[in-house]
Amino acid sequence: MRNIDKIADYPCNLTILSLEFSHSDRNDIKEGREVNLLSRDLTRHIQHSLKIDRVTAIMGPRQAGKTTLSQHLIKSDLDIQYYNLKDPDTRRALATNARKEFEYFGKHLIVLDEVQQMPSLIELIQLQVDIQPERKGRFLITGSNHLLLNRRIKESLAGRVSIYTLFPLSFRELVSHSEQSLLKKLLYAPSVKDVETELSEFYLPAKQSNMLSEKFREFTLYGGYPEFLTRTNPEDRRQWLNNYRQTYLDTDLREIVDLRNQES
């Protein structure tokens, strides 16, 4: 989902091979062919932040949909430069050339996905946005939502960043993904009067009522992780949750320890 820019397109002293979305990838996402994008309540807030803030941060637990939400922005006409910091090659390249890279793409929205993999970039982001304080929508960063990383972002980017927390899908978002229902209408009703009108006129067939009850039962059992939109088998879901818990113990806690060691 990325192409390697030709090295000839770069300044002569820039050796990094930059990773960005190709035009075909961008068109695939725009037309909904590659990513099944589910509307999130946070989307409009992020889009607004990119117009008024220098840095926008999307934090949250693993698998909550942070990367998918950031990819949703590719549907816009923004010039975007995307970096997946889980990629070891990307981290190695940015470790030596991040400043030159960011300066070269000074007119792009730079997306740093999984910034907890390279927290040292946060201080560089501060320097970059301070050079052009009037420039909005300079960086979009995503990362795991733990206290040490949040504190580092707040301290280094104070007055420069808006931080949003993306949780797994709420029941309202799940309902909006399916057919029209009373719950969806009530949750999105603009006023109490509209709620009263919906209730007075509402009739829910037994089949639809049972279906909605089943959705809510599943939501209370498994939560709203986007993975479960396609992973419907109960045993598969339980196995996924077990793996998720183990990943947190094996990976996320180690990242917290690494961040603490860097600060000491």
Side-chain angles (χ1 to χ4, degrees):
M1 194 174 177
R2 63 198 185 206
N3 68 306
I4 306 298
D5 284 339
K6 295 178 180 179
I7 198 68
D9 293 337
Y10 286 78
C12 60
N13 62 344
L14 185 59
T15 58
I16 182 173
L17 292 179
S18 175
L19 308 179
E20 70 172 341
F21 289 109
S22 67
H23 293 296
S24 60
D25 291 334
R26 183 186 294 265
N27 290 335
D28 283 344
I29 295 175
K30 279 186 176 181
E31 298 175 17
R33 292 195 296 266
E34 188 164 328
V35 178
N36 183 21
L37 295 170
L38 177 63
S39 177
R40 302 298 303 267
D41 292 341
L42 203 59
T43 301
R44 60 186 179 89
H45 299 288
I46 300 297
Q47 290 172 332
H48 181 65
S49 174
L50 291 173
K51 297 177 182 178
I52 65 172
D53 297 308
R54 287 176 277 175
V55 183
T56 301
I58 307 175
M59 314 306 290
R62 288 177 177 274
Q63 300 295 315
K66 300 184 297 294
T67 296
T68 302
L69 180 57
S70 66
Q71 289 175 352
H72 180 68
L73 298 170
I74 299 170
K75 295 172 64 178
S76 72
D77 294 328
L78 296 171
D79 291 322
I80 294 176
Q81 183 67 16
Y82 174 88
Y83 302 91
N84 177 8
L85 298 181
K86 281 189 173 181
D87 185 342
D89 292 336
T90 301
R91 294 200 302 272
R92 281 193 292 269
L94 289 179
T96 55
N97 287 297
R99 184 188 299 273
K100 296 176 182 178
E101 184 79 356
F102 294 168
E103 290 174 352
Y104 185 81
F105 290 103
K107 295 183 179 180
H108 287 57
L109 167 64
I110 294 178
V111 181
L112 299 171
D113 200 4
E114 304 289 353
V115 74
Q116 77 277 357
Q117 300 288 339
M118 286 191 72
S120 60
L121 290 178
I122 295 171
E123 283 71 28
L124 179 58
I125 291 173
Q126 175 192 344
L127 296 174
Q128 290 289 307
V129 299
D130 284 350
I131 294 174
Q132 293 180 295
E134 73 285 353
R135 167 74 193 282
K136 311 302 180 185
R138 185 74 173 87
F139 288 90
L140 171 65
I141 60 178
T142 76
S144 296
N145 191 20
H146 52 65
L147 294 176
L148 290 176
L149 180 62
N150 283 356
R151 188 182 71 187
R152 188 164 186 170
I153 291 174
K154 291 176 180 177
E155 290 177 352
S156 298
L157 299 176
R160 307 169 181 85
V161 63
S162 284
I163 302 176
Y164 298 87
T165 301
L166 183 69
F167 296 103
L169 293 161
S170 67
F171 191 60
R172 181 171 76 169
E173 288 171 324
L174 286 171
V175 169
S176 70
H177 179 63
S178 61
E179 68 286 344
Q180 287 284 335
S181 68
L182 173 63
L183 180 59
K184 180 177 179 179
K185 293 177 180 178
L186 296 181
L187 288 171
Y188 284 92
S191 68
V192 175
K193 184 177 181 180
D194 291 307
V195 170
E196 293 174 346
T197 301
E198 292 290 351
L199 287 172
S200 64
E201 298 176 353
F202 180 75
Y203 171 73
L204 186 64
K207 182 178 180 181
Q208 189 176 351
S209 176
N210 292 336
M211 185 181 302
L212 189 60
S213 297
E214 179 61 21
K215 285 180 179 293
F216 186 72
R217 187 190 71 83
E218 292 181 355
F219 179 77
T220 58
L221 281 175
Y222 305 112
Y225 288 98
E227 175 72 20
F228 297 152
L229 292 174
T230 55
R231 190 184 294 265
T232 57
N233 182 276
E235 182 57 36
D236 290 342
R237 287 181 171 183
R238 286 191 288 270
Q239 183 61 47
W240 186 90
L241 287 171
N242 287 335
N243 293 337
Y244 183 95
R245 182 177 63 249
Q246 193 60 46
T247 298
Y248 177 79
L249 294 174
D250 292 344
T251 304
D252 285 20
L253 290 182
R254 184 167 60 248
E255 288 176 358
I256 294 174
V257 171
D258 290 342
L259 269 175
R260 182 171 292 163
N261 290 338
Q262 291 180 29
E263 293 184 347
S264 61

